[in-house]
Amino acid sequence: MTGTRSCLAIVLAAGGGTRMRSAQPKVLYAIAGRSMLGHVLEAVRKAGGNGAAVVVGPDGEAVAAEAKRALPNAEIFRQAERLGTAHAVLAATPAIARGADDLLVIFGDTPLVRPTTLARMRAALAQGAALVVLGFRPKDATGYGRLVLEGGTLVAIREELDASPAERAIALCNGGLMAFAGATALAVLERIGNANRKGEYYLTDAVAVARAMGLTAVVIETEEDEVRGINTKAQLAEAEAALQRRLRQAAMEAGATLVAPETVFLSADTKLGRDVVVEPFVVFGPGVTVEDEAVIRSFSHLDRAHVGRGAQVGPYARLRPGARLQQDVHIGNFVEIKEAVIEAGAKANHLSYIGDATVGAGANVGAGTITCNYDGVAKHRTEIGKGAFIGSNSALVAPVKIGDGAYVGSGSVITSDVPADALAVARGRQSVKPGWARRRVPTKAKSPAKS
Ligand code: UD1
Ligand code: MG
């Protein structure tokens, strides 16, 4: 039913970050690897929103850029002066005037709102409400607007500063999000005044205004976690914890095994396949996909990487952006992979750096191998052929190619290409001088070494 209705979201993201004690705009802080603004816009998209109007403050360049990155068709509006939440919504008047069926108003600092809740608000509009308020019952109501009901009908929202003692005792509070029927939204919003203690245009006054116009306002309730507003670093950490709980739960429901879920940190877009095992203490940055039956062992850190089916990673592995591991690859302890394709069945089990490279199927990269990809000016590629064997402690100085089935002797510094099936050894030849050590310090040979 909401599927055929058009929907515009107005996202308020104008400043308000002073309590973060930070130079960064508040809505750009990340939770589970995604900005708060990104979470809100993603929820809008999932709830069937056709567009978003993001209201930024006078210096909102970075916020505008993030909005465009998260949702390319987002429109940006500027609120020059901070005169209140209703005033901020009206900054997007040109977008509102286009007349979408549903209008959602969301705060950029309320990132945990679920798409299903937005959809419930839209459904209430579809059933004829002119205004839908998202209510909740906080443990501590301080600072929230109270929902005033008469005979079960919402008649007003009272901001705490303006509330009587009786109104302050109301447990049901305003989560901040609202939905308006597009047809009457502007008429309601334009009638909101600023006769209150703060002298601000309060969005919350929309309820009393709508009622005076003979329109219906309804409340939909949700849990506190979803409407947490983030104003401080401590609240940011609480929101992170709440979202991590949700993501871990979802990963386990999708068939991944998290041995100690509370120690695994996921990103909002992490994808773990069926029967993936994640050992304790693993961090997934954004953009990670892990295919079925792969094992990610303890203390590994993955960021914009792909792990193929049945592959093994870690313990203590680091997969950086562009690491693409195909099926059954083994990446072991203290191995760092960046911008490299590791083909099926290849192994790099110990202490290596593989960057800007291709490692052919079934190749074996010995302990301590380094691809020297950077010459101080530019990055260069290393190509290791299928079934090649790179002896331990080798340096492959890029650009360089190691042919299929080739063999590099341990401790080599390889600066030119090695043909397929060849042996390359590039190190000082060992010379042995019998008796030399004994002759060098005659007294040492007689007395045992002191430690
Ligand atoms: C608001 C609600 C309150 C609700 C609470 C939930 C109003 C008047 N009050 O209060 O009922 O319980 O949220 O968290 O709406 N903003 C602008 N421009 C402005 C003012 C605000 O863009 O001129 C943005 C802020 O950046 C923020 C949002 O609107 O994202 C809410 O503003 P804030 O000052 O945090 O309102 P609260 O006092 O929390
Ligand atoms: Mg707030």
Side-chain angles (χ1 to χ4, degrees):
M1 128 191 92
T2 51
T4 58
R5 296 170 64 96
S6 60
C7 173
L8 171 73
I10 315 265
V11 180
L12 302 193
T18 49
R19 289 175 65 205
M20 297 292 266
R21 309 234 185 279
S22 163
Q24 175 170 265
K26 178 165 77 168
V27 297
L28 299 187
Y29 272 93
I31 296 178
R34 179 183 284 164
S35 69
M36 293 195 219
L37 184 59
H39 280 286
V40 168
L41 292 173
E42 178 68 4
V44 166
R45 198 185 59 75
K46 284 192 178 149
N50 312 99
V54 180
V55 179
V56 304
D59 334 302
E61 294 314 317
V63 176
E66 170 63 3
K68 290 275 188 195
R69 197 201 54 76
L71 196 74
N73 71 355
E75 292 175 82
I76 310 298
F77 294 92
R78 264 164 237 283
Q79 184 194 22
E81 277 182 289
R82 230 182 118 86
L83 300 180
T85 42
H87 179 261
V89 173
L90 282 171
T93 296
I96 302 171
R98 283 202 305 268
D101 296 315
D102 300 346
L103 200 70
L104 290 170
V105 178
I106 312 182
F107 298 160
D109 67 354
T110 310
L112 299 188
V113 62
R114 289 178 200 264
T116 48
T117 301
L118 299 181
R120 274 168 62 214
M121 295 174 78
R122 293 189 63 198
L125 292 178
Q127 283 161 16
L131 180 53
V132 185
V133 172
L134 188 60
F136 74 116
R137 295 170 193 275
K139 284 185 206 76
D140 172 8
T142 310
Y144 291 114
R146 310 297 205 279
L147 301 190
V148 183
L149 279 79
E150 276 173 24
T153 306
L154 179 64
V155 296
I157 304 179
R158 195 78 65 225
E159 289 306 297
E160 187 167 77
L161 269 182
D162 305 300
S164 66
E167 286 169 338
R168 284 192 192 199
I170 296 172
L172 187 59
C173 288
N174 176 25
L177 284 78
M178 283 193 198
F180 290 81
T184 47
L186 268 183
V188 172
L189 289 165
E190 282 169 351
R191 267 171 228 212
I192 292 175
N194 64 350
N196 52 55
R197 290 276 296 274
K198 272 190 165 173
E200 284 191 359
Y201 295 88
Y202 285 162
L203 182 63
T204 43
D205 283 348
V207 173
V209 169
R211 191 175 146 79
M213 291 169 71
L215 301 168
T216 0
V218 300
V219 184
I220 280 193
E221 275 196 54
T222 191
E223 72 214 36
E224 183 166 13
D225 256 356
E226 232 183 309
V227 288
R228 269 174 201 283
I230 287 145
N231 299 308
T232 64
K233 295 273 167 73
Q235 288 169 338
L236 183 72
E238 283 166 21
E240 177 79 47
L243 187 52
Q244 289 297 336
R245 281 194 294 275
R246 258 195 222 171
L247 293 170
R248 291 165 187 146
Q249 196 64 33
M252 291 188 283
E253 276 162 18
T257 303
L258 308 187
V259 176
E262 65 285 3
T263 67
V264 173
F265 287 81
L266 299 159
S267 280
D269 62 356
T270 304
K271 288 189 182 64
L272 304 180
R274 190 176 40 80
D275 292 326
V276 163
V277 175
V278 181
E279 290 186 355
F281 301 103
V282 173
V283 176
F284 294 92
V288 176
T289 320
V290 181
E291 307 263 0
D292 296 350
E293 289 151 41
V295 180
I296 314 294
R297 305 185 65 190
S298 293
F299 306 107
S300 294
H301 189 285
L302 299 83
D303 188 7
R304 296 183 206 285
H306 176 84
V307 178
R309 188 184 185 111
Q312 292 189 29
V313 174
Y316 300 98
R318 178 163 185 217
L319 303 187
R320 290 176 50 203
R324 277 159 292 169
L325 279 45
Q326 296 180 356
Q327 196 164 333
D328 298 324
V329 159
H330 288 193
I331 299 300
N333 44 268
F334 308 109
V335 175
E336 173 181 344
I337 313 271
K338 186 217 72 166
E339 202 57 60
V341 176
I342 316 295
E343 292 179 0
K347 292 179 183 164
N349 273 329
H350 332 268
L351 302 157
S352 286
Y353 172 62
I354 302 175
D356 301 306
T358 307
V359 177
N364 193 311
V365 176
T369 297
I370 304 290
T371 56
C372 309
N373 59 330
Y374 187 51
D375 59 13
V377 180
K379 302 275 170 68
H380 302 283
R381 295 197 60 82
T382 300
E383 285 175 36
I384 298 174
K386 297 186 197 317
F389 183 97
I390 312 298
S392 294
N393 205 32
S394 293
L396 309 177
V397 182
V400 72
K401 287 183 189 169
I402 313 295
D404 291 350
Y407 199 106
V408 170
S410 291
S412 291
V413 176
I414 300 292
T415 53
S416 49
D417 293 353
V418 179
D421 301 316
L423 165 68
V425 184
R427 63 181 184 228
R429 193 172 273 279
Q430 179 171 334
S431 71
V432 175
K433 298 183 177 163
W436 183 92
R438 182 156 32 85
R439 286 195 303 275
R440 183 175 67 118
V441 194
T443 49
K444 191 183 166 205
K446 285 169 202 145
S447 58
K450 285 185 184 124
S451 61

